Amino acid sequence: MNLQRLFNPNNVAVVGVSRNINKFGTICFKALIRNKKYRNRVYPINPKLDSILGYKVYPDINSLPIDEIDVLIIATPAKTIPEILSNISYKKKIKYVIIFASGFSEIGPEGEKLEQKIVKIAEEKGFKIVGPNSLGIANFSKNILLSFGKSVIAFKRKGNIAFISQSGAVGGALLRYADSLGIGISIFISSGNESQ
């Protein structure tokens, strides 16, 4: 599998931006637009907003002006995600979906059913899921931050080491530890529940 578009996407859509600066979607959106490459390639989505930080906000994924989306980030509660994914038109070609929400297989049988639903939709629509229950990913070498994690967004040391952590908490702690030792990181992945 070619992961180029996951770690270096041409465009990113973020479902769940909000005027609340502490919401995961808003934190991630603000981190993304710090990178000049994405100032015209990030698409915030929220049916209750018209604009945020000077960007037009789209009501849903189907209303986006592009049909090919490299990375779709979903920062809404777990129970909303199957409907969000189900409603995406087959005209929209999405490569990767990063899901921040917890409340899936890690909580037991009910969450497992919810996770199976989103995996089935992903298989039908042809995209791959990072997560759910993921802190996100980062390509530090290119300053691409697809995460809401404070430890991820604050990390500045570029290097040649990439690492994957199933646990976002452990991954964040390792980033802080690497920073304290002066160790640079190239790519960070929080794999979460590893549903696919």
Side-chain angles (χ1 to χ4, degrees):
M1 178 188 302
N2 185 347
L3 298 176
Q4 173 67 15
R5 292 278 69 88
L6 177 62
F7 299 126
N8 190 17
N10 288 320
N11 54 62
V12 181
V14 184
V15 178
V17 295
S18 165
R19 296 206 190 282
N20 183 336
I21 61 171
N22 297 313
K23 293 289 187 179
F24 292 168
T26 308
I27 294 168
C28 180
F29 175 72
K30 287 177 73 176
L32 265 168
I33 61 174
R34 286 189 340 208
N35 186 328
K36 290 179 182 179
K37 172 181 176 178
Y38 293 108
R39 294 209 177 142
N40 296 310
R41 298 183 186 182
V42 180
Y43 300 91
I45 298 170
N46 184 328
K48 297 178 182 177
L49 288 180
D50 292 324
S51 65
I52 187 168
L53 300 173
Y55 283 75
K56 177 180 177 178
V57 178
Y58 296 86
D60 54 44
I61 297 157
N62 295 332
S63 64
L64 295 178
I66 56 171
D67 287 333
E68 293 192 5
I69 302 157
D70 285 345
V71 176
L72 172 65
I73 294 170
I74 301 182
T76 61
K79 64 183 180 181
T80 67
I81 294 173
E83 183 177 2
I84 289 168
L85 296 178
S86 293
N87 288 339
I88 298 172
S89 166
Y90 282 90
K91 291 179 181 179
K92 299 294 182 185
K93 303 301 179 189
I94 298 168
K95 293 182 176 66
Y96 297 97
V97 176
I98 300 174
I99 299 175
F100 293 155
S102 57
F104 291 91
S105 60
E106 80 280 359
I107 67 166
E110 187 176 334
E112 176 66 32
K113 287 179 184 176
L114 199 60
E115 192 165 314
Q116 288 172 359
K117 278 185 184 179
I118 65 170
V119 169
K120 184 177 179 183
I121 296 165
E123 289 171 349
E124 288 173 355
K125 298 200 173 184
F127 56 79
K128 295 294 183 185
I129 294 173
V130 177
N133 193 24
S134 169
L135 190 65
I137 69 168
N139 181 343
F140 294 118
S141 64
K142 295 185 180 294
N143 193 31
I144 299 170
L145 305 172
L146 306 172
S147 175
F148 65 90
K150 290 181 181 178
S151 54
V152 179
I153 293 168
F155 193 82
K156 303 296 181 192
R157 297 185 185 275
K158 298 175 182 179
N160 298 316
I161 299 169
F163 77 87
I164 299 173
S165 172
Q166 181 275 325
S167 164
V170 171
L174 284 171
L175 284 176
R176 291 190 295 273
Y177 187 55
D179 188 48
S180 73
L181 296 176
I183 296 172
I185 303 292
S186 59
I187 287 174
F188 166 75
I189 308 167
S190 167
S191 58
N193 291 6
E194 302 178 0
S195 61
Q196 282 186 300

